[in-house]
Amino acid sequence: MPIRNFDEQTLTAEVLRRLEATPDPRLKEVMTSFVKHLHAFVREVRPTPEEWFAGIRFLTETGHWCDDKRQEYILMSDTLGVSMLVDFINYGKTGNATESTVLGPFFVEGAPEMALGANIAKPGTPGEPCVVRGSVAGLDGKPIAGALLDVWEAGGDGFYDVQKAEGTNLRARFRSDRDGRFWFRCVKPQSYPVPHDGPVGRMLVATGRHPMRPGHLHFKIAAPGCDTLVTHLFVRGDEYLDSDAVFGVKDSLVVDFAKNASGEYEIRYDFVLKRAARAARAA
Ligand code: BEZ
Ligand code: FE
């Protein structure tokens, strides 16, 4: 018996019915919810055919901007708050463990490992010198020796090395020492715009938003038996802390960058890692 002559409501029901045989239960759940919400969105917005096609063109163009250096879809997810929503759902606050925030598009796997105390900024890099000191410990307060810290930042001109094609700069990997401590030199982070020369930038302009992020230093910290922590340290007093284009600021990650006796900026932060979810369940 053919099923046809749908209307606004029965069409949605039929699309959902055809998903019922999806063998993978999680895929079935995701697709069912996606279709329900997408149809509800279209019923609410009631787009003209031209408007619907403009949306399709926007998504097509977003795809065309993506390559191994530029991920316009991640930028869309970040600027629409979805990346932080996924972060809240998966890495909610646990005790005094350090809070997480967005990874962003400028992380590079396999940055050079440097000795503690090294400067991640090559000579001549724009920006004011800064010393970063801190430690890595578990929720039980015990120091974690040998934790792998990836750090990366934009220079004083607001650009990451990968945006300038000048070779690796302003990123490195360090290992915490036997007492869980680490220290290195860098430049004081400055506020900078997320890439805004593509479709996401046009969306920001069209919706009256700025593309700026408050100055921050990125960290990815991994240690055996612990959840890997992806986070930033933000500069207290930055004018964009309350309007970060990607909604990533948490109070606990805002740090005082004060000048020391040698006239360099200096910060200190003690990171606390959670035990890995699987290890915690097994214990
Ligand atoms: C960043 O902090 O590097 C970043 C995060 C999200 C979008 C764009 C840039
Ligand atoms: Fe960044």
Side-chain angles (χ1 to χ4, degrees):
M1 174 87 160
I3 299 173
R4 52 181 75 162
N5 299 323
F6 303 115
D7 61 26
E8 260 184 47
Q9 303 304 326
T10 59
L11 173 66
T12 304
E14 175 59 11
V15 178
L16 293 174
R17 195 190 64 78
R18 288 189 203 181
L19 292 172
E20 270 168 20
T22 308
D24 180 323
R26 179 63 173 160
L27 180 64
K28 183 176 171 185
E29 182 185 354
V30 170
M31 287 300 297
T32 301
S33 177
F34 180 66
V35 166
K36 274 187 197 160
H37 287 275
L38 185 60
H39 281 222
F41 163 75
V42 172
R43 270 194 293 271
E44 180 178 317
V45 171
R46 311 198 78 74
T48 63
E50 293 74 23
E51 286 172 332
W52 187 242
F53 190 62
I56 287 172
R57 257 202 328 265
F58 177 73
L59 294 177
T60 305
E61 201 186 329
T62 300
H64 286 156
W65 273 74
C66 294
D67 58 22
D68 56 338
K69 296 226 160 51
R70 178 81 176 249
Q71 231 306 346
E72 197 74 358
Y73 277 111
I74 295 184
L75 198 56
M76 188 190 295
S77 159
D78 293 340
T79 52
L80 292 177
V82 182
S83 302
M84 280 309 291
L85 193 53
V86 173
D87 181 84
F88 289 132
I89 289 166
N90 287 279
Y91 306 106
K93 192 152 172 46
T94 307
N96 64 339
T98 304
E99 291 188 281
S100 55
T101 188
V102 278
L103 177 68
F106 300 120
F107 171 69
V108 174
E109 198 64 66
E113 190 156 340
M114 293 187 183
L116 289 169
N119 194 343
I120 68 169
K122 283 184 180 155
T125 302
E128 299 176 272
C130 179
V131 184
V132 180
R133 297 179 196 284
S135 65
V136 184
L139 271 170
D140 55 5
K142 288 201 185 117
I144 299 177
L148 181 62
L149 294 98
D150 266 284
V151 299
W152 68 105
E153 65 169 343
D157 55 359
F159 290 106
Y160 286 83
D161 58 354
V162 289
Q163 295 176 287
K164 300 209 290 189
E166 284 175 8
T168 302
N169 193 15
L170 295 165
R171 67 180 70 242
R173 296 177 129 183
F174 294 98
R175 292 264 175 198
S176 58
D177 73 4
R178 55 190 291 190
D179 299 314
R181 289 174 308 190
F182 66 86
W183 63 101
F184 62 89
R185 309 181 102 76
C186 61
V187 294
K188 183 187 175 204
Q190 298 294 323
S191 52
Y192 68 86
V194 299
H196 58 289
D197 51 345
V200 171
R202 283 207 328 268
M203 182 225 10
L204 292 175
V205 171
T207 54
R209 292 173 55 188
H210 71 67
M212 298 301 289
R213 296 214 64 205
H216 58 273
L217 191 52
H218 290 262
F219 286 84
K220 180 166 181 264
I221 307 180
C226 295
D227 275 348
T228 297
L229 171 67
V230 173
T231 196
H232 305 352
L233 296 181
F234 293 95
V235 180
R236 193 179 310 286
D238 191 291
E239 67 176 295
Y240 296 107
L241 284 173
D242 287 322
S243 63
D244 180 6
V246 304
F247 310 95
V249 180
K250 294 177 178 175
D251 269 347
S252 65
L253 304 174
V254 179
V255 175
D256 288 313
F257 283 68
K259 281 202 171 158
N260 64 19
S262 339
E264 292 173 316
Y265 284 98
E266 186 159 338
I267 64 165
R268 186 180 170 93
Y269 201 88
D270 297 319
F271 292 97
V272 178
L273 304 189
K274 295 174 199 173
R275 287 180 75 191
R278 235 176 307 135
R281 266 201 299 276

